[in-house]
Amino acid sequence: MSDTSFSAAAPGEAGLRDFLALLKPRVMSLVVFTAFVGLVVAPVPVHPFVAAVAILFIALGGGAAGALNMWYDADIDRLMRRTERRPVPAGRVSEGEALGFGLALAGISCVMLALAANVFAGLFLAFTIFFYVVVYTVWLKRRTPQNIVIGGAAGAFPPMIGWAVATGGISAESLLMFALIFLWTPPHFWSLALFMRDDYSRAGVPMLTVTHGRPATRGWILAYTLALIPASLALAFSTVGGPLCLAAAVVLDALFLRGALRLWRRDEAVAEADGFAAEKRLFRFSLLWLFGHFAALLAERALHLTGWGGWA
Amino acid sequence: MTLAHVHDLHRRRLGRNLGLGAALLLFVALVFGLTLVKVGQGDRMHANDAPGAARAASGGQP
């Protein structure tokens, strides 16, 4: 290697942190937690080491999808304040490196999950990565305001994969866990879109706030919040739920509904005057809502093991 | 130009290489651990489908 090429390579030389950032650690934490809950509440016990390995590779698969998303979206990530410091738009990782990293991790994670748990779980992880990268990122994100509604399915699959690790299949309970995240995604992201202002319009991403306006978005947040309530109550009444889950669902749903109603009643002048305080509050609360539901499932399972939880 | 001193570039490469090394070691440990667990649980392990292996799996019967 000549001195010239050595110096020229320096600014783009990615460090370990840059590759870790490609995995979208925040999203990964949600994937890990929900997949873990899906695995633990399943009726078939899994050896703790196999469970830990399975969760690790589900997380890695989620990270691979994140890296491939950053590879494809580098052009629009450069235009948005929220994403401009990501490794690819910032120039620390090249697009080719992100693509290779994502593809390699996707292959390793799916094959290893199939070997560690079962082939169905491995294929389900592969389908989830495909759905997030091809269906959401490539196909929907830049074309339709339904992007996060349909694309949200990718983020809703991890508890089903966790369940599949234990049982080798799909059941009503795992579908209800899917429904919970699937219906939660639109109000979560649309409340973010309300206070990210012109980020999405600058990048040409047809978020609902851009295509249908902000008042309509407020109405849709309320509509999806109303749809969330029966899904969360149904999960609480399922075999993986119980009195604790039901109590958590009632309290969390009431608070979410109150926040969504407050957003629906506000107009843009009021929202701008207080710096989108209610929108930011609902966005933060939506994270707590999801965590609370899955934590309640986990607690119910723990109680069940001591002979207390569940409906039976 | 010679790079006699430790440049930021070297630090970043070292960090990346150490990270890759740790990931590979972890991977080896995971595969080893999985093997122990699966063999311990009595899962059927097929190393290959060679005639000798098949005969061994069937208790030495031809």
Side-chain angles (χ1 to χ4, degrees):
Chain A
M1 183 188 288
S2 74
D3 287 339
T4 315
S5 65
F6 196 81
S7 315
E13 190 78 22
L16 184 63
R17 273 186 197 176
D18 298 316
F19 282 99
L20 291 178
L22 280 181
L23 304 178
K24 295 194 175 182
R26 278 189 200 174
V27 178
M28 199 191 261
S29 63
L30 181 72
V31 168
V32 167
F33 182 58
T34 57
F36 175 72
V37 174
L39 194 154
V40 169
V41 301
V44 182
V46 181
H47 189 285
F49 188 79
V50 174
V53 171
I55 296 295
L56 176 74
F57 285 110
I58 294 171
L60 219 53
L68 292 170
N69 168 273
M70 285 202 207
W71 157 71
Y72 190 82
D73 273 351
D75 57 337
I76 56 173
D77 280 352
R78 284 187 194 98
L79 304 173
M80 294 193 283
R81 274 194 307 275
R82 190 172 67 89
T83 53
E84 66 190 2
R85 287 187 299 277
R86 284 178 175 175
V88 182
R92 296 192 301 276
V93 174
S94 74
E95 292 184 15
E97 282 175 321
L99 174 64
F101 186 60
L103 287 175
L105 279 188
I108 291 168
S109 57
C110 294
V111 170
M112 285 306 297
L113 185 63
L115 291 172
N118 55 68
V119 174
F120 180 74
L123 288 173
F124 204 161
L125 180 62
F127 175 71
T128 303
I129 297 170
F130 167 82
F131 197 92
Y132 185 68
V133 177
V134 178
V135 177
Y136 169 67
T137 307
V138 176
W139 183 36
L140 295 171
K141 187 172 177 180
R142 302 176 191 218
R143 282 187 175 82
T144 164
Q146 296 300 312
N147 49 15
I148 55 151
V149 178
I150 306 166
F157 285 136
M160 289 186 78
I161 303 175
W163 183 278
V165 165
T167 66
I170 294 171
S171 72
E173 292 84 354
S174 73
L175 283 169
L176 283 170
M177 286 189 279
F178 166 86
L180 202 69
I181 307 179
F182 182 71
L183 292 169
W184 162 88
T185 308
H188 171 74
F189 275 103
W190 286 334
S191 58
L192 171 77
L194 280 174
F195 65 83
M196 287 314 290
R197 309 281 288 139
D198 49 314
D199 245 19
Y200 291 107
S201 54
R202 201 184 314 148
V205 177
M207 276 302 245
L208 200 65
T209 45
V210 179
T211 58
H212 290 66
R214 306 167 73 80
T217 305
R218 293 172 187 279
W220 280 108
I221 288 175
L222 179 61
Y224 271 91
T225 306
L226 289 169
L228 261 180
I229 294 171
S232 76
L233 293 178
L235 185 61
F237 281 112
S238 73
T239 59
V240 296
L244 181 70
C245 280
L246 183 61
V250 168
V251 173
L252 290 167
D253 290 356
L255 291 171
F256 205 160
L257 185 60
R258 191 180 68 166
L261 276 169
R262 188 179 294 148
L263 246 60
W264 180 59
R265 289 201 192 105
R266 278 155 70 89
D267 60 29
E268 292 312 308
V270 176
E272 271 200 59
D274 67 6
F276 297 93
E279 288 77 5
K280 288 175 182 170
R281 207 177 306 137
L282 186 69
F283 174 73
R284 281 194 300 270
F285 179 75
S286 66
L287 287 166
L288 181 69
W289 184 92
L290 195 66
F291 176 80
H293 270 87
F294 278 87
L297 284 172
L298 209 54
E300 196 77 63
R301 178 69 181 157
L303 283 174
H304 193 67
L305 292 174
T306 58
W308 287 92
W311 294 111
Chain B
M1 187 183 99
T2 54
L3 289 165
H5 301 291
V6 176
H7 192 271
D8 182 48
L9 175 71
H10 295 115
R11 271 193 294 273
R12 274 183 282 175
R13 278 191 184 163
L14 178 67
R16 211 169 62 182
N17 291 340
L18 287 175
L20 182 61
L24 287 171
L25 281 176
L26 177 68
F27 184 72
V28 170
L30 288 178
V31 172
F32 183 62
L34 271 178
T35 309
L36 290 182
V37 169
K38 286 188 175 281
V39 170
Q41 285 179 330
D43 288 10
R44 291 178 67 186
M45 298 277 120
H46 287 274
N48 58 62
D49 293 317
R55 212 169 26 247
S58 62
Q61 299 300 313

